[in-house]
Each structure stands twice: as structure tokens, then as C-alpha cells.
Coordinates of all heavy atoms in Angstrom, one line a residue:
M1 N 110.9 127.0 100.8 CA 112.1 127.0 100.0 C 111.8 127.1 98.5 O 111.1 126.2 98.0 CB 113.0 125.8 100.2 CG 113.6 125.6 101.6 SD 114.6 124.1 101.8 CE 113.3 122.9 101.7
K2 N 112.2 128.2 97.9 CA 111.8 128.4 96.5 C 112.7 127.5 95.6 O 112.3 127.3 94.4 CB 112.0 129.9 96.2 CG 111.1 130.8 96.8 CD 111.3 132.2 96.4 CE 110.3 133.1 97.1 NZ 110.4 134.5 96.7
N3 N 113.8 127.0 96.1 CA 114.7 126.2 95.2 C 114.4 124.7 95.3 O 115.1 123.9 94.7 CB 116.1 126.5 95.5 CG 116.5 126.2 97.0 OD1 115.6 126.1 97.8 ND2 117.8 126.2 97.2
F4 N 113.4 124.2 96.2 CA 113.1 122.8 96.3 C 112.5 122.3 95.0 O 111.5 122.9 94.5 CB 112.2 122.6 97.5 CG 111.8 121.1 97.7 CD1 112.7 120.2 98.2 CD2 110.6 120.7 97.2 CE1 112.3 118.9 98.4 CE2 110.2 119.3 97.4 CZ 111.1 118.5 98.0
I5 N 112.9 121.2 94.5 CA 112.4 120.6 93.3 C 111.5 119.4 93.6 O 110.4 119.3 93.2 CB 113.5 120.2 92.3 CG1 114.5 121.3 92.0 CG2 112.9 119.6 91.0 CD1 113.8 122.5 91.3
Q6 N 112.0 118.4 94.3 CA 111.3 117.2 94.6 C 112.1 116.4 95.6 O 113.2 116.7 95.9 CB 111.1 116.3 93.3 CG 112.4 115.8 92.7 CD 112.2 115.1 91.4 OE1 111.6 115.7 90.5 NE2 112.7 113.9 91.2
R7 N 111.4 115.4 96.2 CA 112.0 114.6 97.3 C 113.1 113.7 96.8 O 114.1 113.4 97.5 CB 111.0 113.8 98.0 CG 110.0 114.6 98.9 CD 109.0 113.7 99.5 NE 109.6 112.6 100.2 CZ 109.5 112.3 101.4 NH1 108.9 113.1 102.2 NH2 110.1 111.2 101.9
G8 N 113.0 113.2 95.6 CA 114.1 112.4 95.0 C 113.9 110.9 94.9 O 114.7 110.2 94.4
E9 N 112.8 110.4 95.6 CA 112.6 108.9 95.5 C 112.2 108.5 94.0 O 112.5 107.4 93.6 CB 111.4 108.5 96.4 CG 111.8 108.6 97.9 CD 111.4 109.9 98.5 OE1 110.9 110.8 97.8 OE2 111.6 110.1 99.7
M10 N 111.6 109.4 93.3 CA 111.2 109.3 91.9 C 111.9 110.5 91.2 O 111.7 111.6 91.6 CB 109.7 109.2 91.7 CG 109.0 108.1 92.3 SD 109.4 106.5 91.6 CE 108.6 106.6 90.0
I11 N 112.6 110.2 90.1 CA 113.2 111.2 89.3 C 112.9 111.0 87.9 O 112.9 109.9 87.4 CB 114.8 111.1 89.5 CG1 115.1 111.4 91.0 CG2 115.5 112.1 88.6 CD1 116.6 111.3 91.3
T12 N 112.7 112.1 87.2 CA 112.4 112.1 85.7 C 113.7 112.1 85.0 O 114.5 113.1 85.2 CB 111.5 113.2 85.3 OG1 110.3 113.2 86.1 CG2 111.2 113.1 83.8
V13 N 114.0 111.2 84.1 CA 115.2 111.1 83.3 C 114.7 110.9 81.9 O 113.6 110.5 81.6 CB 116.2 110.0 83.8 CG1 116.6 110.3 85.2 CG2 115.5 108.7 83.7
T14 N 115.7 111.0 81.0 CA 115.4 110.7 79.6 C 115.8 109.2 79.4 O 116.9 108.8 79.8 CB 116.3 111.6 78.6 OG1 116.0 112.9 78.9 CG2 116.1 111.2 77.2
A15 N 114.9 108.4 78.8 CA 115.1 107.0 78.6 C 116.3 106.8 77.7 O 116.5 107.4 76.7 CB 113.9 106.3 78.0
P16 N 117.2 105.9 78.1 CA 118.4 105.6 77.4 C 118.2 104.8 76.1 O 117.0 104.5 75.8 CB 119.3 104.8 78.3 CG 118.3 104.1 79.2 CD 117.1 105.0 79.3
T17 N 119.2 104.5 75.4 CA 119.1 103.7 74.2 C 118.3 102.4 74.4 O 118.6 101.8 75.4 CB 120.6 103.3 73.7 OG1 121.3 104.5 73.5 CG2 120.5 102.5 72.4
G18 N 117.4 102.2 73.6 CA 116.5 101.0 73.8 C 115.3 101.3 74.6 O 114.4 100.4 74.7
G19 N 115.2 102.5 75.2 CA 114.0 102.8 75.9 C 114.0 102.2 77.3 O 115.0 101.8 77.8
A20 N 112.9 102.3 78.0 CA 112.8 101.8 79.4 C 111.5 101.0 79.5 O 110.5 101.3 78.9 CB 112.7 102.9 80.4
T21 N 111.6 99.9 80.3 CA 110.4 99.0 80.5 C 110.0 99.1 81.9 O 110.9 98.9 82.8 CB 110.8 97.5 80.1 OG1 111.2 97.5 78.7 CG2 109.6 96.6 80.3
S22 N 108.7 99.2 82.2 CA 108.2 99.3 83.5 C 108.7 98.1 84.4 O 108.6 97.0 84.0 CB 106.7 99.3 83.5 OG 106.1 99.3 84.8
G23 N 109.2 98.5 85.6 CA 109.7 97.5 86.5 C 111.1 97.0 86.3 O 111.7 96.2 87.1
Q24 N 111.8 97.5 85.2 CA 113.1 97.1 84.9 C 114.1 98.2 85.3 O 113.8 99.3 85.4 CB 113.3 96.7 83.4 CG 112.4 95.5 83.0 CD 112.8 94.3 83.8 OE1 114.0 93.9 83.8 NE2 111.9 93.6 84.4
G25 N 115.4 97.8 85.5 CA 116.4 98.7 85.8 C 116.8 99.6 84.6 O 116.7 99.2 83.5
V26 N 117.1 100.9 85.0 CA 117.5 101.9 84.0 C 118.7 102.6 84.5 O 118.7 103.0 85.7 CB 116.3 102.9 83.8 CG1 116.8 104.1 82.9 CG2 115.1 102.3 83.3
L27 N 119.7 102.6 83.7 CA 120.9 103.3 84.0 C 121.1 104.5 83.1 O 121.2 104.4 81.9 CB 122.1 102.4 83.9 CG 123.5 103.0 84.3 CD1 123.5 103.3 85.8 CD2 124.6 102.0 84.0
V28 N 121.2 105.7 83.7 CA 121.4 106.9 82.9 C 122.6 107.6 83.5 O 122.5 108.1 84.6 CB 120.1 107.9 83.0 CG1 120.4 109.2 82.3 CG2 118.9 107.2 82.4
G29 N 123.7 107.6 82.8 CA 124.9 108.1 83.3 C 125.3 107.3 84.5 O 125.5 106.1 84.4
N30 N 125.4 107.9 85.7 CA 125.7 107.3 86.9 C 124.5 107.1 87.8 O 124.7 106.8 89.0 CB 126.8 108.1 87.7 CG 128.1 108.0 86.9 OD1 128.5 107.0 86.3 ND2 128.9 109.1 86.9
L31 N 123.3 107.3 87.3 CA 122.1 107.2 88.1 C 121.3 106.0 87.7 O 121.0 105.8 86.6 CB 121.2 108.5 87.8 CG 119.9 108.6 88.6 CD1 120.2 108.7 90.1 CD2 119.2 109.8 88.2
F32 N 121.0 105.1 88.7 CA 120.3 103.9 88.5 C 119.0 104.0 89.2 O 118.8 104.5 90.3 CB 121.0 102.7 89.1 CG 120.3 101.4 88.9 CD1 120.4 100.7 87.7 CD2 119.5 100.9 89.9 CE1 119.7 99.5 87.5 CE2 118.7 99.7 89.7 CZ 118.8 99.0 88.5
G33 N 117.9 103.5 88.5 CA 116.6 103.4 89.1 C 115.8 102.3 88.4 O 116.2 101.7 87.5
V34 N 114.6 102.1 88.9 CA 113.6 101.2 88.3 C 112.5 102.0 87.6 O 111.9 102.9 88.3 CB 113.0 100.3 89.4 CG1 112.0 99.4 88.8 CG2 114.2 99.4 90.0
A35 N 112.3 101.7 86.4 CA 111.3 102.5 85.6 C 109.9 102.2 86.0 O 109.5 101.1 86.3 CB 111.4 102.0 84.1
A36 N 109.1 103.3 86.1 CA 107.7 103.3 86.5 C 106.8 103.0 85.4 O 105.7 102.4 85.5 CB 107.3 104.6 87.2
T37 N 107.3 103.3 84.2 CA 106.5 103.1 83.0 C 107.3 102.6 81.8 O 108.6 102.6 81.9 CB 105.8 104.4 82.5 OG1 106.8 105.4 82.3 CG2 104.8 104.9 83.5
T38 N 106.7 102.1 80.8 CA 107.4 101.7 79.6 C 107.4 102.9 78.6 O 106.3 103.4 78.3 CB 106.8 100.5 78.9 OG1 106.9 99.4 79.9 CG2 107.5 100.1 77.7
V39 N 108.6 103.3 78.1 CA 108.7 104.4 77.2 C 109.7 104.1 76.1 O 110.6 103.3 76.4 CB 109.0 105.8 77.9 CG1 107.9 106.1 78.9 CG2 110.3 105.7 78.5
A40 N 109.6 104.8 75.0 CA 110.6 104.7 74.0 C 111.9 105.5 74.3 O 111.9 106.4 75.2 CB 110.1 105.3 72.7
E41 N 113.0 105.1 73.7 CA 114.2 105.9 73.8 C 114.0 107.3 73.6 O 113.3 107.8 72.7 CB 115.2 105.3 72.8 CG 116.5 106.0 72.7 CD 117.4 105.4 71.6 OE1 117.3 104.2 71.3 OE2 118.2 106.2 71.0
G42 N 114.6 108.2 74.5 CA 114.5 109.6 74.4 C 113.3 110.2 75.0 O 113.3 111.5 75.2
A43 N 112.4 109.4 75.5 CA 111.2 110.0 76.2 C 111.5 110.1 77.6 O 112.4 109.5 78.2 CB 110.0 109.0 76.0
D44 N 110.7 111.0 78.3 CA 110.9 111.1 79.8 C 110.3 109.9 80.4 O 109.3 109.4 80.0 CB 110.1 112.3 80.2 CG 110.8 113.7 80.0 OD1 112.0 113.6 79.6 OD2 110.2 114.7 80.1
V45 N 111.0 109.4 81.5 CA 110.5 108.3 82.3 C 110.8 108.6 83.7 O 111.9 109.1 84.1 CB 111.2 107.0 81.8 CG1 112.7 106.9 82.0 CG2 110.5 105.8 82.5
E46 N 109.9 108.2 84.6 CA 110.1 108.3 86.0 C 110.8 107.0 86.5 O 110.4 105.9 86.1 CB 108.8 108.4 86.8 CG 108.0 109.7 86.5 CD 108.6 110.9 87.3 OE1 108.8 110.6 88.5 OE2 108.7 111.9 86.8
I47 N 111.9 107.2 87.3 CA 112.6 106.0 87.8 C 112.6 106.2 89.4 O 112.8 107.3 89.9 CB 114.0 105.8 87.3 CG1 114.9 107.0 87.6 CG2 113.9 105.5 85.8 CD1 116.4 106.8 87.3
A48 N 112.4 105.0 90.0 CA 112.5 105.0 91.5 C 114.0 104.8 91.8 O 114.6 103.9 91.3 CB 111.7 103.9 92.0
T49 N 114.5 105.6 92.7 CA 115.9 105.5 93.1 C 116.2 104.9 94.4 O 117.3 104.6 94.8 CB 116.6 106.9 93.0 OG1 115.9 107.8 93.9 CG2 116.5 107.5 91.6
V50 N 115.1 104.7 95.2 CA 115.2 104.1 96.5 C 114.0 103.1 96.7 O 113.1 103.1 95.9 CB 115.2 105.1 97.7 CG1 116.4 106.0 97.6 CG2 113.9 105.9 97.7
G51 N 114.2 102.2 97.6 CA 113.2 101.2 97.9 C 113.7 99.8 97.6 O 114.9 99.6 97.2
V52 N 112.9 98.8 97.8 CA 113.3 97.4 97.6 C 112.5 96.9 96.4 O 111.3 97.0 96.3 CB 113.0 96.5 98.8 CG1 113.4 95.1 98.5 CG2 113.8 97.0 100.0
Y53 N 113.3 96.4 95.4 CA 112.7 95.9 94.2 C 113.2 94.5 93.8 O 114.4 94.2 94.1 CB 113.0 96.8 93.0 CG 112.4 98.2 93.2 CD1 113.0 99.2 93.9 CD2 111.1 98.4 92.7 CE1 112.4 100.4 94.1 CE2 110.5 99.6 92.8 CZ 111.1 100.6 93.6 OH 110.5 101.8 93.8
E54 N 112.3 93.7 93.3 CA 112.8 92.4 92.8 C 113.2 92.6 91.3 O 112.4 93.0 90.5 CB 111.6 91.4 92.8 CG 112.1 89.9 92.5 CD 111.0 88.9 92.9 OE1 110.0 88.9 92.2 OE2 111.3 88.2 93.9
L55 N 114.5 92.2 91.1 CA 115.1 92.5 89.8 C 115.7 91.2 89.2 O 116.0 90.3 89.9 CB 116.2 93.5 89.9 CG 115.8 94.9 90.4 CD1 117.0 95.8 90.7 CD2 114.9 95.6 89.3
P56 N 115.8 91.1 87.9 CA 116.4 90.0 87.3 C 117.9 89.9 87.7 O 118.5 90.9 87.8 CB 116.3 90.2 85.8 CG 116.1 91.7 85.6 CD 115.4 92.1 86.9
K57 N 118.4 88.7 87.8 CA 119.8 88.5 88.2 C 120.4 87.4 87.3 O 119.7 86.6 86.7 CB 119.9 88.1 89.7 CG 119.7 86.7 90.0 CD 120.3 86.4 91.4 CE 120.4 84.9 91.7 NZ 121.2 84.1 90.9
L58 N 121.7 87.5 87.3 CA 122.5 86.4 86.6 C 122.1 85.1 87.3 O 122.4 85.0 88.5 CB 124.0 86.7 86.7 CG 124.9 85.7 86.1 CD1 124.7 85.6 84.6 CD2 126.4 86.1 86.4
V59 N 121.6 84.2 86.5 CA 121.0 82.9 87.1 C 122.1 82.2 87.9 O 121.9 81.6 88.9 CB 120.4 82.1 86.0 CG1 120.0 80.7 86.6 CG2 119.2 82.8 85.4
S60 N 123.4 82.2 87.4 CA 124.4 81.4 88.0 C 125.0 82.1 89.2 O 125.8 81.5 90.0 CB 125.5 81.1 87.0 OG 126.1 82.3 86.5
A61 N 124.7 83.4 89.5 CA 125.3 84.2 90.6 C 124.7 83.7 91.9 O 123.5 83.4 92.0 CB 125.0 85.6 90.4
V62 N 125.6 83.5 92.9 CA 125.1 83.2 94.3 C 125.3 84.4 95.1 O 126.4 84.9 95.4 CB 126.0 82.0 94.8 CG1 125.6 81.7 96.3 CG2 125.9 80.8 93.9
I63 N 124.1 85.0 95.5 CA 124.1 86.3 96.2 C 123.6 86.0 97.6 O 122.4 85.5 97.8 CB 123.3 87.3 95.5 CG1 123.9 87.5 94.1 CG2 123.2 88.6 96.3 CD1 123.1 88.4 93.2
A64 N 124.3 86.4 98.6 CA 123.9 86.2 100.0 C 123.0 87.4 100.5 O 123.2 88.5 99.9 CB 125.1 86.1 100.9
A65 N 122.2 87.2 101.4 CA 121.4 88.3 102.0 C 122.4 89.3 102.6 O 123.3 88.9 103.3 CB 120.4 87.8 103.0
G66 N 122.2 90.5 102.3 CA 123.1 91.6 102.8 C 124.3 91.9 102.0 O 125.1 92.8 102.3
A67 N 124.5 91.1 100.9 CA 125.6 91.3 100.0 C 125.4 92.6 99.1 O 124.3 92.9 98.7 CB 125.8 90.1 99.1
R68 N 126.5 93.3 98.8 CA 126.4 94.4 97.9 C 126.2 93.8 96.5 O 126.7 92.7 96.2 CB 127.7 95.2 97.9 CG 127.9 95.9 99.2 CD 129.0 96.9 99.0 NE 129.2 97.6 100.3 CZ 128.5 98.7 100.7 NH1 127.5 99.1 99.9 NH2 128.7 99.2 101.8
V69 N 125.4 94.4 95.7 CA 125.1 94.0 94.3 C 125.4 95.1 93.3 O 125.4 96.3 93.7 CB 123.7 93.4 94.2 CG1 123.6 92.1 95.0 CG2 122.7 94.4 94.5
A70 N 125.5 94.7 92.1 CA 125.8 95.7 91.0 C 124.8 95.4 89.8 O 124.1 94.4 89.8 CB 127.2 95.5 90.6
W71 N 124.9 96.3 88.8 CA 124.0 96.2 87.7 C 124.9 96.0 86.4 O 125.8 96.7 86.2 CB 123.2 97.5 87.5 CG 122.2 97.4 86.4 CD1 122.3 98.1 85.2 CD2 121.0 96.7 86.3 NE1 121.2 97.9 84.4 CE2 120.4 97.0 85.0 CE3 120.4 95.8 87.1 CZ2 119.2 96.4 84.6 CZ3 119.2 95.2 86.7 CH2 118.6 95.5 85.5
D72 N 124.6 95.0 85.7 CA 125.2 94.7 84.4 C 124.3 95.4 83.3 O 123.2 94.8 83.0 CB 125.4 93.2 84.1 CG 126.0 92.9 82.8 OD1 126.0 93.8 81.9 OD2 126.4 91.8 82.6
D73 N 124.6 96.6 82.9 CA 123.7 97.3 82.0 C 123.6 96.7 80.6 O 122.6 96.8 79.9 CB 124.1 98.7 81.9 CG 123.0 99.6 81.3 OD1 121.8 99.4 81.9 OD2 123.2 100.4 80.5
T74 N 124.6 95.9 80.2 CA 124.5 95.2 78.9 C 123.5 94.1 79.0 O 122.6 93.9 78.1 CB 125.9 94.6 78.5 OG1 126.8 95.7 78.4 CG2 125.8 93.9 77.1
A75 N 123.6 93.2 80.0 CA 122.7 92.1 80.2 C 121.4 92.5 80.9 O 120.4 91.7 81.0 CB 123.3 91.0 80.9
K76 N 121.3 93.7 81.5 CA 120.1 94.2 82.2 C 119.8 93.3 83.3 O 118.6 92.9 83.5 CB 118.9 94.4 81.2 CG 119.2 95.3 80.0 CD 119.5 96.7 80.4 CE 119.6 97.6 79.2 NZ 120.4 98.7 79.4
Q77 N 120.8 93.0 84.2 CA 120.5 92.1 85.3 C 121.5 92.4 86.5 O 122.5 93.1 86.3 CB 120.7 90.7 84.9 CG 122.1 90.3 84.4 CD 122.1 88.9 83.9 OE1 121.1 88.2 83.8 NE2 123.3 88.5 83.4
V78 N 121.1 92.0 87.7 CA 121.9 92.2 88.9 C 123.0 91.1 88.9 O 122.7 89.9 88.5 CB 121.0 92.0 90.1 CG1 121.8 92.0 91.4 CG2 119.9 93.1 90.2
V79 N 124.2 91.5 89.3 CA 125.3 90.7 89.4 C 126.1 91.0 90.6 O 125.8 92.0 91.3 CB 126.3 90.8 88.1 CG1 125.6 90.4 86.9 CG2 126.7 92.3 88.0
L80 N 127.1 90.2 90.9 CA 128.0 90.6 92.0 C 128.9 91.7 91.5 O 129.2 91.8 90.3 CB 128.8 89.4 92.5 CG 128.0 88.3 93.1 CD1 128.8 87.0 93.3 CD2 127.5 88.8 94.5
P81 N 129.4 92.6 92.4 CA 130.3 93.7 92.0 C 131.5 93.2 91.3 O 132.0 92.1 91.6 CB 130.7 94.3 93.4 CG 129.5 94.0 94.3 CD 129.1 92.6 93.9
G82 N 131.9 93.9 90.3 CA 133.1 93.6 89.5 C 133.4 94.6 88.5 O 132.7 95.6 88.4
T83 N 134.5 94.5 87.8 CA 134.9 95.4 86.8 C 133.9 95.7 85.8 O 133.3 94.8 85.2 CB 136.2 94.9 86.1 OG1 137.2 94.7 87.1 CG2 136.7 95.9 85.1
G84 N 133.6 97.0 85.6 CA 132.6 97.4 84.6 C 131.1 97.3 85.1 O 130.2 97.7 84.4
M85 N 130.9 96.8 86.3 CA 129.6 96.7 86.9 C 129.3 97.9 87.7 O 130.2 98.4 88.4 CB 129.4 95.4 87.7 CG 129.6 94.1 86.9 SD 128.6 93.9 85.5 CE 129.7 93.9 84.1
V86 N 128.0 98.4 87.8 CA 127.6 99.6 88.5 C 127.0 99.2 89.8 O 125.9 98.6 89.8 CB 126.6 100.4 87.6 CG1 126.2 101.6 88.4 CG2 127.3 100.8 86.3
P87 N 127.6 99.5 91.0 CA 127.0 99.2 92.3 C 125.6 99.9 92.4 O 125.4 101.1 92.0 CB 127.9 99.9 93.3 CG 129.2 100.0 92.5 CD 128.8 100.3 91.1
I88 N 124.6 99.1 92.8 CA 123.2 99.7 92.9 C 122.6 99.5 94.3 O 121.6 100.2 94.6 CB 122.3 99.1 91.9 CG1 122.1 97.6 92.1 CG2 122.7 99.4 90.5 CD1 121.0 96.9 91.2
G89 N 123.1 98.6 95.2 CA 122.5 98.4 96.5 C 122.9 97.2 97.2 O 124.0 96.6 96.9
I90 N 122.0 96.7 98.0 CA 122.2 95.5 98.9 C 121.1 94.5 98.7 O 119.9 94.9 98.6 CB 122.2 95.9 100.4 CG1 123.2 97.1 100.6 CG2 122.4 94.7 101.3 CD1 124.6 96.7 100.5
A91 N 121.4 93.2 98.5 CA 120.4 92.2 98.4 C 119.8 92.0 99.8 O 120.4 92.0 100.8 CB 121.1 90.8 98.0
T92 N 118.4 92.0 99.8 CA 117.7 91.8 101.1 C 117.4 90.4 101.4 O 117.0 90.1 102.5 CB 116.4 92.6 101.1 OG1 115.5 92.1 100.0 CG2 116.7 94.1 100.8
V93 N 117.5 89.5 100.4 CA 117.4 88.1 100.6 C 118.4 87.3 99.8 O 119.0 87.9 98.9 CB 116.0 87.6 100.1 CG1 114.9 88.2 100.9 CG2 115.8 87.9 98.6
A94 N 118.7 86.1 100.2 CA 119.7 85.3 99.5 C 119.0 84.8 98.2 O 117.8 84.6 98.1 CB 120.1 84.1 100.3
A95 N 119.8 84.7 97.1 CA 119.4 84.2 95.8 C 120.5 83.4 95.2 O 121.5 83.9 94.8 CB 119.0 85.4 94.9
G96 N 120.3 82.1 95.2 CA 121.4 81.2 94.8 C 121.4 80.8 93.3 O 120.6 81.4 92.5
N97 N 122.3 79.9 93.0 CA 122.4 79.5 91.6 C 121.1 78.9 91.1 O 120.4 78.1 91.9 CB 123.5 78.4 91.6 CG 123.8 78.0 90.2 OD1 123.4 78.5 89.2 ND2 124.7 76.9 90.1
G98 N 120.7 79.2 90.0 CA 119.4 78.8 89.4 C 118.2 79.7 89.7 O 117.2 79.5 89.1
V99 N 118.4 80.7 90.5 CA 117.3 81.6 90.8 C 117.5 82.8 89.9 O 118.6 83.4 89.7 CB 117.4 82.1 92.3 CG1 116.4 83.2 92.6 CG2 117.3 80.9 93.2
A100 N 116.4 83.2 89.3 CA 116.4 84.3 88.2 C 116.2 85.7 88.7 O 116.4 86.6 87.9 CB 115.4 83.9 87.1
T101 N 115.8 85.9 90.0 CA 115.6 87.2 90.5 C 116.2 87.4 91.9 O 116.5 86.4 92.6 CB 114.1 87.6 90.6 OG1 113.5 86.7 91.5 CG2 113.4 87.5 89.2
V102 N 116.4 88.6 92.3 CA 116.8 88.9 93.7 C 116.2 90.2 94.1 O 116.0 91.1 93.3 CB 118.4 89.0 93.7 CG1 118.9 90.1 92.9 CG2 118.9 89.1 95.2
R103 N 115.9 90.3 95.4 CA 115.4 91.6 95.9 C 116.5 92.4 96.4 O 117.4 92.0 97.1 CB 114.4 91.3 97.1 CG 113.2 90.6 96.7 CD 112.2 90.4 97.8 NE 111.1 89.6 97.4 CZ 110.2 89.1 98.2 NH1 110.3 89.2 99.5 NH2 109.2 88.4 97.6
V104 N 116.4 93.7 95.9 CA 117.5 94.6 96.1 C 117.0 95.9 96.7 O 116.0 96.5 96.3 CB 118.2 95.0 94.8 CG1 119.3 96.0 95.0 CG2 118.8 93.7 94.1
R105 N 117.7 96.4 97.8 CA 117.4 97.7 98.4 C 118.3 98.7 97.6 O 119.5 98.6 97.8 CB 117.7 97.7 99.9 CG 117.4 99.1 100.4 CD 117.9 99.2 101.9 NE 117.8 100.5 102.4 CZ 118.8 101.5 102.2 NH1 119.8 101.2 101.5 NH2 118.6 102.7 102.7
L106 N 117.7 99.5 96.8 CA 118.5 100.5 96.1 C 119.1 101.5 97.0 O 118.5 102.0 97.9 CB 117.6 101.2 95.0 CG 116.9 100.3 94.0 CD1 116.1 101.2 93.0 CD2 117.9 99.4 93.3
D107 N 120.4 101.9 96.7 CA 121.1 102.9 97.5 C 120.6 104.3 97.3 O 120.7 105.1 98.2 CB 122.6 102.8 97.2 CG 123.3 101.7 97.8 OD1 122.8 101.1 98.7 OD2 124.4 101.4 97.4
G108 N 120.1 104.6 96.1 CA 119.6 105.9 95.8 C 120.7 106.9 95.6 O 120.5 108.1 95.7
V109 N 122.0 106.5 95.3 CA 123.1 107.4 95.2 C 123.6 107.3 93.8 O 123.6 106.2 93.1 CB 124.2 107.2 96.2 CG1 123.7 107.4 97.6 CG2 124.8 105.8 96.1
A110 N 124.1 108.4 93.2 CA 124.8 108.3 92.0 C 126.1 107.5 92.1 O 126.8 107.5 93.2 CB 125.2 109.7 91.5
T111 N 126.4 106.7 91.2 CA 127.5 105.7 91.3 C 128.2 105.6 89.9 O 127.8 106.3 89.0 CB 127.0 104.4 91.8 OG1 128.1 103.5 92.1 CG2 126.1 103.7 90.8
E112 N 129.3 104.9 89.9 CA 129.9 104.6 88.6 C 130.5 103.2 88.5 O 130.6 102.6 89.6 CB 131.0 105.7 88.3 CG 132.1 105.7 89.3 CD 133.1 106.7 89.0 OE1 132.9 107.9 89.4 OE2 134.2 106.4 88.4
A113 N 130.7 102.8 87.3 CA 131.2 101.4 87.1 C 132.5 101.2 87.8 O 133.3 102.1 87.8 CB 131.3 101.1 85.6
A114 N 132.7 100.0 88.4 CA 134.0 99.7 89.0 C 135.1 99.5 88.0 O 134.9 99.3 86.9 CB 133.8 98.4 89.8

């Protein structure tokens, strides 16, 4: 196929305002992924759009295994779905109050804030 570009697990995007940090969530428009490298704002960065990643979460959030989760792009952390939050995937393990991270299986689909 002459029109095939790439498989899509890793996608090159332009780093948003503030740049991108390796291992952290990156939201570009309606596309969410985890940055493979640290780059300055406006530079190209590879982001993983599928897979399971341990991401920072709202410490007070109580997230059950199998629960849908969202991204708070202002705070740069996983939260429960809600107004203004961007759905990103499913929690693969429970993460209760006081826990600072959660493992998330990324959906790999373009999404938009609720």
C-alpha cells in the first residue's frame, strides 16, 4: 500500500504549550498520548497512543479497577470523567484516596472534553 504511513501506536505531534516531558501525558487537540521524550514547546514529539501506563492522578480520587478515566490537562493528571475532562482510557488497577498514580490502558482514539 503506497498510502500507508505508520501503525499508529506511536504518533509524531507538535508539543503543546509548555512542551512535553518523557513519560507524561500530552494532549494535542483531541489526541492524547504519553510522551516518549522531553521536548520544548513547538518541537516534534513521539507520543504513545495505546498501551498501559502509570500516570499521575488526583490524589483524592478513588478509582476502581476497570473504571473509565479522564485527563485534566490543566493539572496534568488522571481524574474521573467529568465536565471539561478528556476521556483517555480504563484504569487497570484500583487507586484509592492518597495514591498519587494509577495504571491506565489508553484507548488510542481521538476524543474530546466532556
